[in-house]
Amino acid sequence: ELVESHGKHLDVSWDDGLVLHTQMRMTGSWHLYRSGERWRKPDSQMRVVIEVHDWVAVCFNAPVVETFREFDIHRHPGFGRLGPDLCTAPVKELEECARRIYDYPDPTATIAEVLLDQRVMCGVGNVYRCELLWACEFNPWARVSDLSIDECREVVQLAHEMLRANLQRVERITAPSVDGGLAVYGRQGKTCSRCHDVVRVTHHGEANRVLYWCAGCQ
């Protein structure tokens, strides 16, 4: 989702809040290869490998390699019990999730923030958050207190269906008619398939997560 460099430090952030931190010092380096291409350094010097379709990123000889979760108070184990897992939740628990959004303790919180609150429901990472908001045509900055209970039920039910549909897939597909399978996530500067406006990107919320949305139809 995001790659940031700070001097000889490199942070790679994933959509679920995981951050891979590598410190190069004088010996470390990152290489980028096409899939199947011969590495320029021996396997014994490899510290990290990240593989995606057609590409492989390899970190060699980095003295410091570690992972951590970016700050989010809603992930802290002492902050409250986790909500139902949307992949397995029965109808009764889906209704409970909708009620948790509707009765959210902070009525000024935005729906974009609340969807990532694991106390409300589990399973919605940042990709699904952006795609859900687009599918429901919700403005990401809308306050949860402005949503009706039916709108809360709509986003919970759709989240349940998206997660279930992607259980056996390697790559997430939330908008099958869109090239790449995603309606807005990672598509900044491209045309919205629904209203033909431009998809935009910003950072949002206390955790400053990346947010993709279409200003034309959300």
Side-chain angles (χ1 to χ4, degrees):
E1 183 172 87
L2 183 68
V3 179
E4 296 179 301
S5 61
H6 312 278
K8 295 183 179 181
H9 299 260
L10 190 77
D11 289 340
V12 182
S13 301
W14 273 263
D15 63 277
D16 63 353
L18 180 72
V19 179
L20 168 67
H21 171 73
T22 55
Q23 183 176 352
M24 302 296 102
R25 292 184 183 166
M26 300 302 293
T27 59
S29 62
W30 276 93
H31 293 191
L32 193 61
Y33 300 99
R34 288 284 188 179
S35 295
E37 184 179 355
R38 183 181 178 86
W39 294 358
R40 296 189 299 275
K41 289 181 179 290
D43 293 3
S44 59
Q45 296 180 25
M46 179 270 292
R47 299 296 309 280
V48 180
V49 176
I50 303 174
E51 296 186 58
V52 296
H53 184 64
D54 291 338
W55 292 95
V56 180
V58 189
C59 178
F60 294 102
N61 298 315
V64 178
V65 176
E66 58 187 358
T67 60
F68 60 91
R69 293 281 175 180
E70 65 182 1
F71 174 72
D72 182 349
I73 59 172
H74 299 148
R75 289 194 173 95
H76 193 285
F79 196 72
R81 296 181 60 185
L82 294 177
D85 184 344
L86 288 185
C87 283
T88 58
V91 174
K92 182 178 179 180
E93 290 187 354
L94 295 180
E95 176 66 21
E96 179 186 343
C97 293
R99 284 288 172 184
R100 290 185 182 193
I101 296 176
Y102 187 70
D103 297 325
Y104 197 73
D106 180 3
T108 66
T110 66
I111 182 59
E113 292 178 286
V114 173
L115 286 177
L116 292 181
D117 188 341
Q118 301 296 293
R119 299 169 303 164
V120 173
M121 53 190 180
C122 292
V124 178
N126 205 24
V127 174
Y128 289 112
R129 169 178 76 156
C130 298
E131 295 297 298
L132 284 167
L133 291 170
W134 181 86
C136 294
E137 298 186 51
F138 287 170
N139 185 315
W141 289 270
R143 297 185 301 179
V144 285
S145 58
D146 293 332
L147 298 181
S148 68
I149 185 60
D150 285 338
E151 288 174 323
C152 295
R153 290 183 180 124
E154 176 188 6
V155 72
V156 169
Q157 180 63 36
L158 187 56
H160 172 69
E161 293 172 2
M162 278 188 182
L163 290 166
R164 294 284 297 172
N166 283 276
L167 275 176
Q168 305 301 322
R169 291 173 179 162
V170 176
E171 296 185 6
R172 281 161 288 198
I173 298 176
T174 61
S177 62
V178 178
D179 184 30
L182 299 175
V184 289
Y185 187 89
R187 295 179 57 84
Q188 67 272 23
K190 296 183 179 180
T191 301
C192 171
S193 63
R194 183 167 56 209
C195 74
H196 308 296
D197 205 323
V198 177
V199 176
R200 304 182 185 184
V201 62
T202 188
H203 288 79
H204 178 72
E206 185 171 357
N208 205 33
R209 302 294 298 279
V210 176
L211 174 67
Y212 297 89
W213 90 105
C214 174
C217 57
Q218 288 181 256

